[in-house]
Amino acid sequence: MRKTDISKFSNTGPVQDNSASDTARSIGKILAKALLTLLAILMITGTIVGAFLVSFIWSMKDETMAYDLNKLKLNYTSFIYVYDENGNPVEYQSLYSNENRVWVDYSQIPQAMKDAIVAIEDKRFWEHNGVDWRRTLGAVTQLFSEGSSYGGSTITQQLIKNVTGDKDVSLTRKVKEIFRALNLNKEYSREQILEAYLNVVNFGSGTNGVQAAANLYFGKDIQDCDIAECAAIAGITQNPSRYTPLVHPENNMERQQVVLGEMYDQGKITKAEYDEAMEKSRHMTFVGKKQESGGGSTEIWNWYVETMFEDVKEDLMELYSCTSAKAEDMIYHDGLKIYCAMDQEMQSIAESFVNNTENLPQNQEIDLGYIAMDYDGRVLAVVGAREKTRNRPLNLATDAQRQPGSTIKPIGVYAPAIELGAINYSTIVEDAPLENWNGDKPGPNNFDNRYLGNMTVEFALENSRNAPAARICKEITPEVGYTFLKDKLHFTSLQPADNNIAPIAIGGMSEGVTVREMTAAFQIFANGGKFTEPYTYYYVEDHDGNVILDNRNKEPVQAISSTTSSIMHHLLNRVITGSQGSGRRAAISGWEVFGKTGTTNDQKDSWFIGGTPYALAGIWTGYRDTPTAMNNTETKYAISIWQGIMSQYLENKEPLEFTYDENVVSATFCQQSGKLATGSCPRTGTGWYKKDEMPERCDMEHPVEGDETSSAGDEGETPEGTTPTDPATSSQVTEPSTDSSLPEETEPVPEAPSQPAQVPSQEPEENMDNNVVVTPGDDTLPPGIVPVG
């Protein structure tokens, strides 16, 4: 056999070696290509990320601190103005604190104080341009190598943090701070920056600024402090709580001596000065003298001024990106002119009514929060508790979050459902338990622990039934109600819906809501569906007369349509006027009232929110500190206080009526079917509908008079364990309860009202042939429909 032939079948020799070598080279090429590909991807990715990072950083190059440092020196009294009956602003009150606030000019601060703070906080302060790049790089290096960082901020950067309060630990905040420091350094001299820093920085024990610190610790002005005393003050800034000498004198001495060492090493003081200061440091005493009063007022503000102060403070914080403390300082010392939106008459009535203990529960632990406003967002009056003994305590009208109970139903369920067309005024909804309401349990329970079967929307809301509200909420989905409350009505404390019906349907929330939020939400039911953020001041001027805050042209949000607003208004009017209305005790003779009660199942919270043509008001009552169940008598006070204050406010007012959308019309409906009534419908009511979304005519077979074997209940069996009473079929008329021991939502077993709701501003005739309401001479609308207003 030839050699070449033999080699074909050989398993050894050069052929095998060549094959292994070729395989290795192939694998090497593959790995090389993969590595090159990976490197290319990394380079491209790195380039993209780098470009994005550079772009991101560069986008903040114009970041500045909005507040003018020169205004930090101001010490002018601010004034509140209110408007008299002629619309003229008159001085109402001045605002200033009890603090003896003295700004110390740069020339009055001893050189030792300037040297001490620079030596320990920013030794290259006079050389850098606002940012010490060496310290910044060192801080970044230590962050990556050790997972922690030392202070890389300069005095300029620290000043910015003290004024703005922006201390968030993030790359974005740090980049902004760097650019702010660079730009601040261009706008102000180093002397101006150091002067501002020494007057605003925290020096422990509630002091800000070197003058306050010198007064407190040494009982003298800063200009009279020696080197050792200046070093003691300068050492506090790194950690005020740790180095305050009144609490930790040993810590302060240790830090003080570090400051003196830095001053000596940097040539700020001589060896003799260093030795003398070190000796004094070992025997230093601190007097703890408090600042003398500067004549500030100890007057107790009323609840309205208190609320307005907080609103102005929050708006200044947003405007100037500053801390709460800085905003308060501006209010007290910048000579602001605040034009207040308070209605003095209503504020006085509300305060007087609450101050009369006969109008309140005897149990002093049961407290209240009350707020009134108009339908354009103007807050008229505020009462934050039954007593006020000091300034700025917890305000139960604006700060406390409580469970809203059934007051949430109109805004979280019924209004969105009508807006979406899911229901109308007289839609039939079932009062029956839902499966898997709470885990594997059906619910929710109604206040009387009964389910009444089919009923109209009007009756369900009038009688505050929980189960129908839950069914409607489920139909439109809880997310719809949650989004409506959050985005349209600006609720801030809601938790995500999470497909949980309870919070939106019957008010059982994890966080709760404020009286201010709830009251503001109800404005949409009397102003064409518009929501305006509530405000307590019209505008604010600075000391030079420039308008810096302005609420006079607030743009409302169209939360619901004007037609939905009018329909909801009529539904909520039935809560007051209906024979089964849960809010009947809110009625005011001669005035139309709309509103909604709310009492939580455990009776820990009782609410009423309602409106008249002149004003809207909301009130919560309950135990102030620890939620506790109230008895039936105690839950009555929310609605009785509301009615008492509003009655007095309207006593001498000129007559005024609500207006309604002209595209909302009235018609008689069948209580059993919820459709437009015919002559054969035995029980009817007056409903309100969008003109282009009218219900169909009733086609239900009604029982012949005297035949008691047929009823609306024939459509479905009464749920097990429930009362056979059905508001859609009962012919009994139940008058308003006179039992004053019952809370608003704990009425006798309800029966459907037999009389149509009264139509405002109209006296229509009744056509007995088809039993619908018509207006004489109106031939432009479908039969049986009456235009509103």
Side-chain angles (χ1 to χ4, degrees):
M1 185 178 290
R2 290 178 299 178
K3 184 177 180 179
T4 54
D5 294 332
I6 294 173
S7 66
K8 293 179 181 179
F9 303 98
S10 176
N11 292 324
T12 60
V15 173
Q16 185 179 18
D17 292 340
N18 290 340
S19 177
S21 177
D22 290 343
T23 300
R25 281 196 295 271
S26 297
I27 293 174
K29 289 179 180 179
I30 292 172
L31 290 175
K33 287 181 179 179
L35 181 60
L36 289 173
T37 301
L38 179 61
L39 288 173
I41 292 173
L42 290 174
M43 289 178 64
I44 294 171
T45 303
T47 301
I48 294 173
V49 171
F52 175 79
L53 185 60
V54 170
S55 176
F56 170 70
I57 293 174
W58 190 249
S59 68
M60 291 183 280
K61 65 181 178 65
D62 295 322
E63 277 287 331
T64 59
M65 187 175 70
Y67 192 71
D68 183 358
L69 287 187
N70 293 316
K71 289 186 177 181
L72 292 171
K73 300 181 182 183
L74 296 180
N75 191 22
Y76 299 115
T77 299
S78 294
F79 291 94
I80 298 171
Y81 295 86
V82 297
Y83 287 85
D84 61 19
E85 60 277 7
N86 298 317
N88 300 314
V90 294
E91 185 179 322
Y92 179 76
Q93 184 177 325
S94 59
L95 289 173
Y96 49 88
S97 67
N98 289 324
E99 165 195 21
N100 183 15
R101 182 183 186 273
V102 180
W103 180 277
V104 187
D105 289 334
Y106 187 79
S107 60
Q108 294 178 299
I109 302 173
Q111 189 61 41
M113 187 69 246
K114 302 169 189 173
D115 289 341
I117 204 73
V118 170
I120 196 63
E121 290 295 322
D122 187 6
K123 65 182 180 181
R124 284 182 286 276
F125 172 74
W126 299 104
E127 287 79 42
H128 63 63
N129 58 356
V131 177
D132 189 336
W133 296 108
R134 272 192 277 177
R135 293 186 67 191
T136 300
L137 182 60
V140 172
T141 302
Q142 185 169 332
L143 175 65
F144 283 102
S145 62
E146 301 180 18
S148 62
S149 63
Y150 64 87
S153 296
T154 63
I155 284 176
T156 310
Q157 290 169 284
Q158 290 181 52
L159 173 62
I160 291 169
K161 281 189 286 190
N162 272 274
V163 173
T164 65
D166 193 357
K167 299 177 182 178
D168 180 39
V169 181
S170 68
L171 175 62
T172 300
R173 198 275 302 170
K174 193 65 180 178
V175 172
K176 284 184 177 180
E177 181 187 285
I178 287 173
F179 280 115
R180 285 175 177 174
L182 293 172
N183 291 325
L184 194 71
N185 200 69
K186 295 175 184 177
E187 190 173 353
Y188 299 96
S189 69
R190 288 173 174 79
E191 288 79 7
Q192 288 175 301
I193 292 171
L194 184 57
E195 177 187 353
Y197 178 84
L198 289 171
N199 277 284
V200 302
V201 76
N202 180 8
F203 286 105
S205 300
T207 63
N208 287 84
V210 292
Q211 178 71 346
N215 290 162
L216 178 63
Y217 301 134
F218 304 113
K220 61 176 71 173
D221 292 333
I222 187 62
Q223 60 189 9
D224 298 323
C225 291
D226 59 28
I227 293 174
E229 291 165 341
C230 288
I233 294 173
I236 299 172
T237 57
Q238 186 187 58
N239 190 334
S241 61
R242 175 178 172 79
Y243 294 122
T244 177
L246 299 184
V247 182
H248 304 291
E250 68 287 351
N251 292 346
N252 181 267
M253 181 182 71
E254 180 183 342
R255 181 67 175 169
Q256 175 194 35
Q257 292 178 358
V258 171
V259 175
L260 291 171
E262 287 293 331
M263 294 177 73
Y264 175 68
D265 291 343
Q266 296 174 36
K268 309 290 186 182
I269 55 177
T270 65
K271 183 65 165 64
E273 289 172 327
Y274 171 77
D275 291 339
E276 181 182 353
M278 287 292 286
E279 178 62 24
K280 183 170 183 177
S281 172
R282 287 186 276 269
H283 307 287
M284 183 167 284
T285 58
F286 304 95
V287 300
K289 179 181 177 182
K290 290 182 169 56
Q291 294 178 324
E292 297 179 358
S293 172
S297 171
T298 58
E299 176 187 2
I300 303 299
W301 302 342
N302 70 29
W303 285 109
Y304 196 100
V305 170
E306 191 115 308
T307 304
M308 186 200 67
F309 182 95
E310 298 299 329
D311 287 352
V312 173
K313 183 191 75 172
E314 292 292 328
D315 291 344
L316 287 173
M317 289 171 62
E318 181 178 354
L319 177 66
Y320 292 114
S321 300
C322 66
T323 63
S324 174
K326 180 69 203 107
E328 289 182 19
D329 184 80
M330 292 172 64
I331 296 173
Y332 286 130
H333 304 295
D334 279 20
L336 304 180
K337 294 180 181 179
I338 305 170
Y339 293 85
C340 180
M342 176 174 61
D343 183 321
Q344 294 184 77
E345 179 190 8
M346 190 163 207
Q347 183 67 30
S348 177
I349 291 172
E351 289 178 352
S352 297
F353 194 92
V354 172
N355 288 337
N356 185 346
T357 56
E358 294 182 1
N359 298 324
L360 305 180
Q362 293 182 355
N363 187 340
Q364 296 288 315
E365 295 182 35
I366 296 178
D367 220 322
L368 62 92
Y370 172 90
I371 195 165
M373 60 184 64
D374 69 10
Y375 297 101
D376 294 317
R378 176 194 172 194
V379 175
L380 305 175
V382 182
V383 178
R386 63 189 295 164
E387 292 183 335
K388 193 172 194 299
T389 57
R390 61 186 177 89
N391 286 335
R392 305 179 69 192
L394 176 69
N395 188 326
L396 297 176
T398 61
D399 301 329
Q401 296 175 351
R402 307 293 184 179
Q403 300 301 308
S406 291
T407 55
I408 202 73
K409 292 174 184 174
I411 53 178
V413 178
Y414 288 97
I418 290 177
E419 184 77 355
L420 292 172
I423 60 173
N424 61 38
Y425 187 98
S426 58
T427 298
I428 298 297
V429 59
E430 187 178 12
D431 182 14
L434 280 76
E435 296 298 326
N436 303 319
W437 164 258
N438 182 15
D440 57 351
K441 297 179 181 179
N445 291 331
N446 290 308
F447 62 81
D448 54 4
N449 293 317
R450 302 169 187 260
Y451 297 103
L452 305 180
N454 290 341
M455 59 180 57
T456 62
V457 162
E458 177 195 64
F459 187 84
L461 184 57
E462 172 187 335
N463 197 242
S464 201
R465 311 298 292 176
N466 288 336
R471 287 185 172 276
I472 296 170
C473 182
K474 184 177 182 180
E475 180 178 347
I476 65 173
T477 75
E479 286 78 11
V480 168
Y482 168 76
T483 302
F484 178 71
L485 293 174
K486 181 175 178 291
D487 295 346
K488 297 293 187 180
L489 302 182
H490 297 193
F491 279 77
T492 60
S493 56
L494 298 177
Q495 296 298 311
D498 237 4
N499 205 32
N500 187 356
I501 301 175
I504 305 304
I506 60 174
M509 299 182 174
S510 58
E511 297 295 329
V513 293
T514 68
V515 180
R516 180 171 178 161
E517 286 177 319
M518 289 298 299
T519 307
F522 270 62
Q523 68 182 288
I524 66 175
F525 300 135
N527 67 359
K530 297 182 177 67
F531 175 82
T532 305
E533 283 277 11
Y535 62 90
T536 52
Y537 66 89
Y538 293 112
Y539 64 103
V540 177
E541 292 179 341
D542 65 15
H543 181 67
D544 299 320
N546 302 307
V547 176
I548 56 175
L549 298 173
D550 200 341
N551 286 320
R552 289 171 295 181
N553 297 307
K554 292 178 75 74
E555 286 293 328
V557 174
Q558 190 71 47
I560 54 177
S561 66
S562 180
T563 52
T564 297
S565 172
S566 290
I567 294 169
M568 281 300 305
H569 181 99
H570 288 294
L571 283 169
L572 292 171
N573 176 251
R574 285 291 299 177
V575 174
I576 312 301
T577 63
S579 62
Q580 295 294 319
S582 60
R584 297 189 310 280
R585 283 190 287 267
I588 301 173
S589 178
W591 295 91
E592 183 185 351
V593 178
F594 73 92
K596 185 70 189 76
T597 55
T599 304
T600 53
N601 289 341
D602 52 17
Q603 298 202 162
K604 294 178 180 179
D605 305 274
S606 180
W607 295 71
F608 183 74
I609 303 172
T612 67
Y614 275 98
L616 172 72
I619 184 171
W620 165 90
T621 60
Y623 280 75
R624 178 185 179 88
D625 299 317
T626 303
T628 305
M630 295 178 286
N631 61 43
N632 288 346
T633 299
E634 291 167 341
T635 57
K636 294 189 308 179
Y637 278 97
I639 199 167
S640 67
I641 294 170
W642 185 97
Q643 201 273 353
I645 295 173
M646 191 65 76
S647 294
Q648 289 186 35
Y649 180 67
L650 296 176
E651 198 168 293
N652 298 314
K653 292 285 190 293
E654 293 292 325
L656 186 65
E657 295 182 351
F658 288 108
T659 59
Y660 307 97
D661 191 298
E662 61 183 9
N663 291 308
V664 169
V665 294
S666 66
T668 303
F669 65 88
C670 173
Q671 293 278 8
Q672 289 180 283
S673 68
K675 299 178 181 180
L676 294 182
T678 66
S680 64
C681 297
R683 292 179 49 77
T684 61
T686 299
W688 303 83
Y689 308 93
K690 299 176 184 179
K691 188 186 300 185
D692 56 354
E693 296 180 20
M694 299 297 298
E696 298 175 352
R697 286 201 174 272
C698 180
D699 55 359
M700 178 180 288
E701 292 186 10
H702 298 290
V704 178
E705 185 176 353
D707 181 3
E708 298 181 358
T709 61
S710 176
S711 73
D714 295 338
E715 295 179 3
E717 295 184 7
T718 303
E720 183 179 352
T722 65
T723 175
T725 305
D726 186 341
T729 62
S730 172
S731 60
Q732 179 181 354
V733 179
T734 304
E735 297 299 327
S737 172
T738 57
D739 183 358
S740 62
S741 66
L742 295 172
E744 280 68 36
E745 297 181 24
T746 310
E747 304 290 347
V749 178
E751 305 285 351
S754 64
Q755 298 299 319
Q758 188 173 11
V759 183
S761 306
Q762 295 193 77
E763 297 181 357
E765 298 178 357
E766 185 173 9
N767 184 323
M768 300 307 295
D769 293 333
N770 56 17
N771 201 30
V772 295
V773 178
V774 297
T775 299
D778 184 1
D779 56 2
T780 61
L781 297 174
I785 300 174
V786 178
V788 179

